[in-house]
Amino acid sequence: MSDNATEKTFTVALMTSGGLAPCLASSFASLCTYWLEALKTQKIGGLNVIAYKAGYKGMLLGDSLQLSMDDLEEVGCLHTMGGSPILNSRVKLTNIKDCVKRGLCKEGEDPLEVAAQQLLKDGVSVIHTIGGDDTNTQAAELSKYILEKHGGKITVVGMPKTIDNDVYPIKQTFGADTAAEEGAAFFANVVSESTANPRMLIIHECMGRDSGYLTAASAKKYRDIVRSQKFPTALASNASTRDIHAIWIPELPVDIEKEGVRLKKIMDEVC
């Protein structure tokens, strides 16, 4: 915080957007707590906090929640919750046709200008956009637009959350590690189905679009689970039968016919 920040009242806006990730509620709570602590320690002179409902949709419609100081004191309970406490949507400010179709702006209007005007109307000093690749790409466009058209009166701060972990150059996005842990735990239950039919080929599909991170990370965490388990040597279900025998990710080509031959050979050996 700069020296003059101690005398300034900040109007801080928050929004979540895009697909759900395990960190949305917790990230929202952490940001609220950060600004509340800044006020309590006199790093800022005053504080107003608003939350736009359903991401950019709420920003375009002016649909927001005003949070009181008591509200900010209570956000700690959100750290253990999933989903978004202020709702999500998949609205892109740069997709004018879609915004008009949804009734979020009128024909001939630029959603970027509508959003900028709403932020200016609400007196926003800082807007935190909690989202993934699309959300933060839109945040960058909004920041650029405000800088060029309105002299950069509003600071746009993107928080990278996505289970895909594909926000370059961020090494680890919020939500990705938890998603991998949950994916591994879910897969551990699915694999138990193989005990009813040993020659069953189980394919566990993970999300990720063009990124194989969640698939690979889930596989690694599952194999850690298997390695930590003990199996009676005389029985049929063991580490080999419960292991992962193929990991297919979009970054690498896959020859399905060759994989079929390879996996059948493994099945013949293991089962």
Side-chain angles (χ1 to χ4, degrees):
M1 297 286 182
S2 59
D3 293 337
N4 62 351
T6 60
E7 301 176 0
K8 181 180 177 181
T9 294
F10 283 79
T11 296
V12 178
L14 301 99
M15 54 158 276
T16 62
S17 185
L20 294 178
C23 64
L24 287 174
S26 185
S27 296
F28 176 83
S30 294
L31 287 170
C32 287
T33 300
Y34 169 84
W35 284 103
L36 182 60
E37 286 300 310
L39 178 65
K40 288 181 177 180
T41 55
Q42 299 182 338
K43 292 180 179 178
I44 58 176
L47 177 65
N48 297 309
V49 178
I50 63 174
Y52 289 110
K53 295 170 65 176
Y56 290 116
K57 176 183 177 181
M59 188 183 297
L60 290 171
L61 297 176
D63 188 8
S64 62
L65 302 169
Q66 181 77 42
L67 302 181
S68 67
M69 293 301 113
D70 288 340
D71 293 330
L72 298 179
E73 292 283 2
E74 294 178 347
V75 296
C77 62
L78 296 175
H79 287 298
T80 57
M81 291 187 185
S84 171
I86 52 176
L87 308 181
N88 264 34
S89 70
R90 292 182 178 273
V91 173
K92 295 184 179 180
L93 298 177
T94 53
N95 191 336
I96 299 176
K97 183 178 180 180
D98 182 63
C99 288
V100 172
K101 181 180 178 181
R102 292 174 182 239
L104 304 179
C105 62
K106 299 176 182 178
E107 192 75 44
E109 289 184 328
D110 185 345
L112 285 168
E113 178 62 22
V114 175
Q117 287 298 333
Q118 186 62 53
L119 293 173
L120 292 169
K121 177 183 176 182
D122 291 337
V124 173
S125 314
V126 179
I127 170 75
H128 290 283
T129 57
I130 308 171
D133 187 36
D134 287 339
T135 299
N136 285 295
T137 298
Q138 296 299 299
E141 290 292 332
L142 181 58
S143 178
K144 178 183 177 183
Y145 184 88
I146 292 173
L147 178 63
E148 293 177 350
K149 301 294 184 181
H150 299 283
K153 297 179 181 178
I154 302 167
T155 300
V156 181
V157 182
M159 177 176 279
K161 72 83 202 162
T162 171
I163 62 175
D164 301 335
N165 197 31
D166 61 351
V167 180
Y168 180 82
I170 304 299
K171 183 178 181 180
Q172 180 74 62
T173 57
F174 294 101
D177 189 63
T178 302
E181 289 180 350
E182 293 298 317
F186 182 81
F187 187 60
N189 292 325
V190 173
V191 168
S192 294
E193 288 293 319
S194 66
T195 61
N197 182 358
R199 296 188 66 81
M200 179 186 296
L201 178 63
I202 298 174
I203 298 177
H204 185 55
E205 183 179 4
C206 298
M207 294 179 66
R209 289 199 303 189
D210 298 324
S211 171
Y213 171 83
L214 184 57
T215 297
S218 297
K220 181 181 182 304
K221 288 182 181 293
Y222 170 73
R223 297 194 82 183
D224 290 341
I225 293 174
V226 173
R227 289 193 184 97
S228 68
Q229 291 178 323
K230 291 185 178 181
F231 298 92
T233 55
L235 302 185
S237 183
N238 53 54
S240 295
T241 62
R242 290 176 178 264
D243 198 2
I244 293 175
H245 303 103
I247 301 173
W248 299 333
I249 57 175
E251 290 88 344
L252 297 175
V254 177
D255 187 321
I256 294 297
E257 290 188 2
K258 287 184 178 180
E259 279 293 271
V261 173
R262 185 182 68 84
L263 291 173
K264 183 180 183 304
K265 184 174 183 294
I266 292 174
M267 190 178 291
D268 292 339
E269 294 172 351
V270 172
C271 302

